[in-house]
Amino acid sequence: MDVSYILDQLNDAQRDAVTADSPGTLVLAGAGSGKTRVLVHRIAWKIQVEGLSPYSIMAVTFTNKAAREMRTRIEELLNNNVQGGMWVGTFHGLAHRLLKAHASEAGLPDNFQILDSDDQLRMMKRIHRELGLDDARWPPRQSCYFVNGHKDEGRRSAHIDDPGGDLYLQTMLRVYRRYEEICQQQGVIDFAELLLRALELWRDNPAVLSHYQQRFKHILVDEFQDTNAVQYAWLRILAGRGMPITAVGDDDQSIYGWRGARIENIQQFSKDFADTRIIRLEQNYRSTGTILSAANAVIQHNSQRLGKELWTSGEDGDPIALFAGFNEHDEARFVTDRIEELLKEDYRRADIGILYRSNAQSRVLEEALIRAGLPYRIYGGQRFYDRLEIKNALAYMRLIALRDDDTAVERVINTPTRGIGNATVETLRHYARDHQLSLWKAAVALVQSGGLAARAGNALRGFLSLVEDLAEKTAEMPLDEQVDYVLSHSGILDFHAREKGEKGQARVENLQELVSAARSFQPEDPEEDILRAFLDQAALDAGDQQADPHEDSVQLMTLHSAKGLEFPIVFMVGVEENLFPHKMSMDDPARLEEERRLAYVGITRAEQKLFLSYAESRRLHGQESFNSLSRFVREIPNELISEVRINNTVSRPTSFANGNLAAQAAAANGMALGQRVLHSIFGAGVVLSFEGQGPSARVQVNFEDEGSKWLVLQYANLQLL
Ligand SMILES: Nc1ncnc2c1ncn2[C@@H]1O[C@H](COP(=O)(O)OP(=O)(O)OP(=O)(O)O)[C@@H](O)[C@H]1O
Ligand SMILES: [Mg+2]
């Protein structure tokens, strides 16, 4: 059999890694050196040459998107359909699959549901109320952090030592215990719990473990540097004493330390897996020489490194462009202007990635993209399934699947408004707590016993029978009709349609989109209950489905979600001290190094062109700040960077509502580049640029008769034309 096509497009070191027959194989290499490619080709090799069945392979990727891509690439390579039972997915996705197959062994009800981070926070707030904790002193978010942090390390509340007189720990422990109890009672599990349960399932059920140990013949793990303690333990327990395992990773790209990821797992690997062969890849195939030199220069400032070389035989390419905006709007306009130019040069929108440090930065960029008529998609962040109206609709669907889902009850018991006030809900909560019941069962009991005032009782009865009715009427419908029916008969559609203006409109469109999503939904396992599978998918998916995936669109995402991806063009925006590195990480050397690795990840996403930009003044989370250029940019040698001058960006007049220019510019300097203005003495002209801020802000205007002049904005008294 001619299998040369599996090795043809690989260099020697990559071939070595693909064909290695060592029990443990660790590929340790920098960004863009072909680690993911090696994994894909290694799987093809295992199947085609070594004759492993796809059924006996497990591959772990970092995102659901990466899992889908991996599957497609293997299929392309093997020229066939390898659906045949191969397990490819994220740790969370695989753990979920495992728990569904063995719910009872894992101590879960068959229809357990996933609690996403928003739901988790909601539940935490309820627990705080129940325990009489004041949210100001005990932020519920902090409790989530506490619980998740311990779970990531594999610690349940029972494993935490008696905190003695430490009030903080005592309180957190009480919260953790109560949280565990309630989750168990309701049959819901959060993300960290998925992993921990999956680990405990194997640890405590030798029969289940041995089944999988016999089934799998090879485990492969991408982005190994970001595994946490529980994930690593899960791999180890499965691999047992002899299952071959291949891990690929890059210590310089470890960026999830804040979520419990442990770089040490890399060193641990060769100790734990006998006869590990370590293979290094040194040639980068992704980026231009300039981009690669910049990345290398930045990461060299870190002290904790295993140390790797990375070179490219490619061209140097363009210098890295650096743009200083007056504020975030100016920066966003620079981005959209450049994108428009690039699109004229034969690039497609999907070739362009815009990367930022914090989710909140996306809003201004989104607005600029919308204004410029440029379709875009966001990975992560405000995902389709995170949107309010979608969560409302899904809460009804979840209740149809499982009445005891308290989070869903809380969400829609009075949405749309049906006269169930806070007092009634509070009574319900008390009753549920006192009788150890779910909210739903408590509601049924209260309605039956007549324990409520007539009005409240009727309203509550209305809600209960609505849900029962929805369940009954839609039981036999195909999924999309079911969703459609629930949207109109629950009142959710009307409720959101009544919201004013664009927002209501957008919500209705999103709800309609949910029907389409249901129509095109196909469960991985056709035997499975489709509603259940759909709800699980909604909770798990990393937000890939918000826009039409086939439309050519600009890609927006945080630096964290960009890991493993590549784009011909990359804009890294907001490269400012306090934003990136993040101000929370500035004082801690270890966290600062993690921020630098994030910069390394960002830079190395770019194939051909890299644009960096920052804003001299920025309003974020409602606060104005003035930050200097990020140290990470200053760590790039000057000769690799070319500064973009502001005038270059004045390509078209910006339109915005009439008003007093000084006031607007004072609020947001530089909004009006290209704007035509009138001065009482110099006459009409066009705004060329701005300088400074506050009272010293100056504006440069090119007057038709008088030529270019600098004026102090505050006194210039310009009128918009
Ligand atoms: N031998 C090769 N010949 C040509 N192109 C290659 C070769 N190896 C890898 N590539 C290409 O280089 C790019 C980077 O490869 P890949 O994504 O596998 O790198 P990686 O090491 O996984 O990067 P990251 O660390 O960012 O995850 C991809 O476009 C890939 O197709
Ligand atoms: Mg990769």
Side-chain angles (χ1 to χ4, degrees), residues 290-478:
T290 301
I291 292 168
L292 198 58
S293 305
N296 284 338
V298 171
I299 199 66
Q300 257 165 28
H301 286 79
N302 270 7
S303 60
Q304 302 294 320
R305 299 184 65 208
L306 298 178
K308 293 181 304 294
E309 297 295 319
L310 212 49
W311 60 277
T312 172
S313 65
E315 316 237 312
D316 281 350
D318 292 344
I320 292 163
L322 174 64
F323 173 76
F326 289 105
N327 58 30
E328 69 277 15
H329 296 284
D330 196 25
E331 177 187 48
R333 199 169 44 231
F334 162 74
V335 173
T336 53
D337 284 353
R338 276 299 135 109
I339 291 177
E340 283 174 342
E341 283 167 23
L342 290 161
L343 293 177
K344 286 185 204 132
E345 288 175 32
D346 271 3
Y347 285 106
R348 295 174 329 126
R349 294 191 281 263
D351 291 337
I352 300 167
I354 307 180
L355 314 182
Y356 38 84
R357 175 67 181 84
S358 305
N359 258 315
Q361 283 171 261
S362 81
R363 193 185 53 80
V364 172
L365 292 161
E366 289 183 65
E367 283 167 10
L369 288 161
I370 291 168
R371 217 173 312 136
L374 293 166
Y376 65 91
R377 297 177 66 201
I378 301 189
Y379 288 94
Q382 179 61 315
R383 305 171 251 160
F384 181 73
Y385 286 108
D386 278 348
R387 295 184 184 152
L388 177 80
E389 62 280 15
I390 299 300
K391 295 203 116 188
N392 286 342
L394 288 178
Y396 278 101
M397 305 300 293
R398 281 165 56 171
L399 285 179
I400 290 178
L402 173 67
R403 308 284 194 285
D404 292 332
D405 187 332
D406 281 3
T407 313
V409 170
E410 290 258 1
R411 182 173 271 283
V412 292
I413 191 165
N414 201 33
T415 307
T417 354
R418 54 175 65 90
I420 303 180
N422 278 340
T424 311
V425 178
E426 199 49 46
T427 313
L428 207 56
R429 288 192 195 114
H430 276 294
Y431 191 90
R433 202 177 311 142
D434 295 345
H435 296 79
Q436 295 288 309
L437 294 171
S438 68
L439 287 175
W440 178 271
K441 294 211 176 81
V444 172
L446 272 173
V447 164
Q448 278 170 359
S449 68
L452 288 169
R455 229 131 103 266
N458 282 338
L460 197 54
R461 181 175 300 117
F463 173 68
L464 297 176
S465 56
L466 170 68
V467 172
E468 291 295 355
D469 197 51
L470 291 173
E472 190 186 321
K473 293 273 173 28
T474 63
E476 302 298 322
M477 290 182 184

Side-chain angles (χ1 to χ4, degrees), residues 43 47 54-55 57 71 74 82-88 97:
I43 293 173
I47 295 174
Y55 175 83
I57 290 177
R71 224 175 242 288
I74 297 166
V82 287
Q83 294 298 335
M86 191 160 82
W87 275 33
V88 190
R97 187 164 177 172

Side-chain angles (χ1 to χ4, degrees), residues 397 479-489 493 515:
M397 305 300 293
L479 185 64
D480 57 328
E481 284 175 31
Q482 190 176 21
V483 174
D484 200 25
Y485 187 94
V486 168
L487 289 182
S488 38
H489 291 79
L493 195 64
V515 181

Side-chain angles (χ1 to χ4, degrees), residues 573-593:
V573 301
V575 287
E576 295 150 38
E577 289 287 292
N578 290 320
L579 191 60
F580 188 35
H582 198 277
K583 63 172 174 300
M584 306 279 279
S585 307
M586 304 271 266
D587 301 329
D588 176 344
R591 290 175 69 173
L592 194 60
E593 296 215 341

